[in-house]
Amino acid sequence: MSRVLTTVPAHFDGTQVRLDVGIELKPNTRLLVTILDEELFNEALVWSAMKASEAAFARVWDNEEDAVYDRL
């Protein structure tokens, strides 16, 4: 499966960061972690933002001009 950038909700259980959805990751998969301010966190807003960002990320990352980087 080819994925350039996928956003999934997660939480810190006091010891480890845990993904809140089932997604298959290979060992040593590179991740970006965004810390959400608890006072500003709204699960519906987060899910909406993730959904809204999908099309924009697809346009930015999935194009012929940058395809050369997929082969690195």
Side-chain angles (χ1 to χ4, degrees):
M1 179 186 306
S2 177
R3 267 195 302 254
V4 175
L5 188 59
T6 302
T7 302
V8 298
H11 67 279
F12 178 64
D13 69 6
T15 305
Q16 297 179 339
V17 174
R18 304 276 183 176
L19 303 181
D20 293 338
V21 296
I23 187 169
E24 188 174 324
L25 297 174
K26 294 178 183 177
N28 300 312
T29 296
R30 305 287 299 169
L31 306 172
L32 297 173
V33 177
T34 302
I35 310 302
L36 300 172
D37 186 314
E38 195 66 34
E39 292 178 16
L40 301 176
F41 179 73
N42 175 318
E43 190 168 342
L45 176 63
V46 172
W47 280 98
S48 296
M50 288 189 308
K51 189 68 178 165
S53 69
E54 287 177 3
F57 284 128
R59 281 193 308 275
V60 171
W61 293 102
D62 189 19
N63 64 73
E64 283 300 314
E65 188 175 303
D66 291 336
V68 65
Y69 296 109
D70 296 337
R71 294 183 287 277
L72 295 179

